[in-house]
Amino acid sequence: MTQAGSNLLARAILPQIEQGFSRQCFTGGFMPYAAKIFILLSLCFGLLAVPAHAGESSARKGKTTSEKFETQFAVGQKFTGTSAWYGIRAHGKRTASGTTFDCTQHTAAHRTLPFGTLVKVTNKKTKKSVVVQITDRGPAPGYLIDISRQAAMDIGMREQGSATVTLEIVALPASYAYNSARKQ
């Protein structure tokens, strides 16, 4: 582009920039009337559009995302995996359930168990166990559960940082039993 061409471009665009694009766009500046109508109609129809698969049956399209990860739990159900503990850095911070985390209490984080579930955690090496309440989401990939610092001390795994444990569901919250019954 030549010097004269760039000067002409600068003189044509700079006043528009100085006055502000948003005001110019909708008060007769850059866009003709038909373009404004087209944009407004596109936005309206875009917000009202319904996905093509909205009316299909669930048998045909498979499970929805929420159904894929929804698991039924029962009192007495057992799981085995690796546990870690968390404490000092999370102490005093809000958990996923909305409560404040206290590393001196018997609480835990689990990916899918409902908040308020009581779980018996048994260290397979020391055979010690503790009952914790699920109040948070987690743990890191590769771990079954994160337990509080106090719970880790009680089952003898604080020094190691992690241990192989067995979880047993002791009690489920009343709200979970109600929701499970409604789905059947």
Side-chain angles (χ1 to χ4, degrees):
M1 184 178 274
T2 65
Q3 181 70 23
S6 65
N7 285 340
L8 179 62
L9 185 63
R11 280 186 286 156
I13 293 178
L14 282 177
Q16 301 297 333
I17 294 172
E18 289 170 0
Q19 291 177 2
F21 281 110
S22 62
R23 192 184 70 178
Q24 286 296 313
C25 287
F26 291 100
T27 58
F30 292 129
M31 285 193 272
Y33 185 73
K36 294 175 194 174
I37 296 295
F38 175 77
I39 290 173
L40 289 174
L41 287 174
S42 298
L43 288 171
C44 289
F45 286 114
L47 294 173
L48 297 174
V50 177
H53 64 276
E56 295 177 8
S57 70
S58 60
R60 188 168 159 226
K61 67 178 180 178
K63 292 184 175 182
T64 64
T65 305
S66 62
E67 291 170 336
K68 286 179 187 174
F69 298 107
E70 192 172 300
T71 307
Q72 294 294 319
F73 297 107
V75 174
Q77 192 172 0
K78 292 184 179 185
F79 307 93
T80 300
T82 305
S83 173
W85 66 271
Y86 67 122
I88 304 302
R89 281 190 274 164
H91 186 75
K93 294 184 180 174
R94 187 167 292 250
T95 64
S97 67
T99 61
T100 302
F101 177 70
D102 182 355
C103 67
T104 65
Q105 299 298 311
H106 290 149
T107 59
H110 191 274
R111 283 184 192 84
T112 56
L113 284 171
F115 294 131
T117 301
L118 296 178
V119 180
K120 180 180 176 183
V121 180
T122 305
N123 184 337
K124 290 191 117 188
K125 186 176 180 182
T126 64
K127 306 291 187 223
K128 293 180 180 179
S129 62
V130 65
V131 175
V132 296
Q133 183 178 17
I134 304 297
T135 59
D136 207 355
R137 290 291 173 233
Y143 291 93
L144 178 63
I145 191 168
D146 270 346
I147 60 176
S148 65
R149 181 176 186 263
Q150 184 63 49
M153 288 171 52
D154 291 350
I155 64 171
M157 67 166 264
R158 192 179 74 77
E159 296 300 320
Q160 297 92 353
S162 65
T164 302
V165 297
T166 301
L167 303 184
E168 181 181 356
I169 298 176
V170 175
L172 290 163
S175 60
Y176 178 78
Y178 172 75
N179 289 332
S180 296
R182 279 187 43 203
K183 291 177 187 173
Q184 296 175 354

